[in-house]
């Protein structure tokens, strides 16, 4: 029988507080260890207020802000994959390269999405 994680049994407010703590720890780790995350966070700190100013409707603002936040989400997932893969092995292996390259490609597509969404909204 497979043993479940001891953290899976938490419910209610304890679970919510634990999840918030883990999320904060994840954001802190990304900020501390990931240059790309810090760069994209800085970009978000500039672009989100700009989106709120430049968007004419709630939908436009939501699309522009959502695209920017999407980059941060994808970067966090990419960093998580890289950390997990590096924990398993630091050797050069084709599957490790593929996993890291795919994560990088996902970030690139998220960045392209920002450009496309902003261009479509602003050049309406």
């Amino acid at each position: 029988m497979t043993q479940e994680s001891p953290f899976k049994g938490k419910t209610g407010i304890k679970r919510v507080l634990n999840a918030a703590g883990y999320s904060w720890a994840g954001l802190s780790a990304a900020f501390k260890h990931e240059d790309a995350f810090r760069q994209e966070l800085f970009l978000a700190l500039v672009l989100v207020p700009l989106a709120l100013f430049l968007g004419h409707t709630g939908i436009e603002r939501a699309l522009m802000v959502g695209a920017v936040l999407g980059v941060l989400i994808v970067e966090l997932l990419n960093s998580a994959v890289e950390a997990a893969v590096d924990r398993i092995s630091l050797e050069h292996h084709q599957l490790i390269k593929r996993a890291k390259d795919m994560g990088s490609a996902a970030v690139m597509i998220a960045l392209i999405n920002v450009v496309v969404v902003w261009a479509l909204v602003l050049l309406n």
Side-chain angles (χ1 to χ4, degrees):
M1 180 172 179
T2 306
Q3 185 172 343
E4 291 281 334
S5 167
F7 303 107
K8 290 292 183 186
K10 306 286 189 237
T11 60
I13 192 71
K14 181 73 171 166
R15 182 187 161 285
V16 172
L17 292 174
N18 285 348
Y22 302 144
S23 297
W24 184 253
L27 288 169
S28 297
F31 188 83
K32 181 179 179 182
H33 299 288
E34 300 294 333
D35 291 337
F37 182 77
R38 284 192 301 274
Q39 293 165 354
E40 292 155 354
L41 182 61
F42 174 75
L43 186 66
L45 292 174
V46 172
L47 291 181
V48 168
L50 196 58
L52 298 175
F53 177 74
L54 294 175
H56 297 302
T57 67
I59 298 294
E60 288 180 352
R61 291 180 188 113
L63 287 170
M64 295 166 76
V65 169
V68 172
L69 294 179
V71 171
L72 295 176
I73 293 166
V74 174
E75 183 62 51
L76 286 167
L77 293 171
N78 178 46
S79 296
V81 167
E82 287 185 356
V85 167
D86 288 347
R87 168 61 176 94
I88 293 167
S89 175
L90 293 174
E91 76 175 74
H92 292 285
H93 189 282
Q94 186 58 33
L95 291 175
I96 290 173
K97 180 181 182 341
R98 185 185 309 166
K100 289 184 174 191
D101 289 351
M102 288 175 165
S104 179
V107 173
M108 181 186 69
I109 290 170
L111 289 166
I112 290 169
N113 185 55
V114 169
V115 173
V116 169
V117 168
W118 279 63
L120 291 172
V121 169
L122 295 177
L123 300 175
N124 187 12

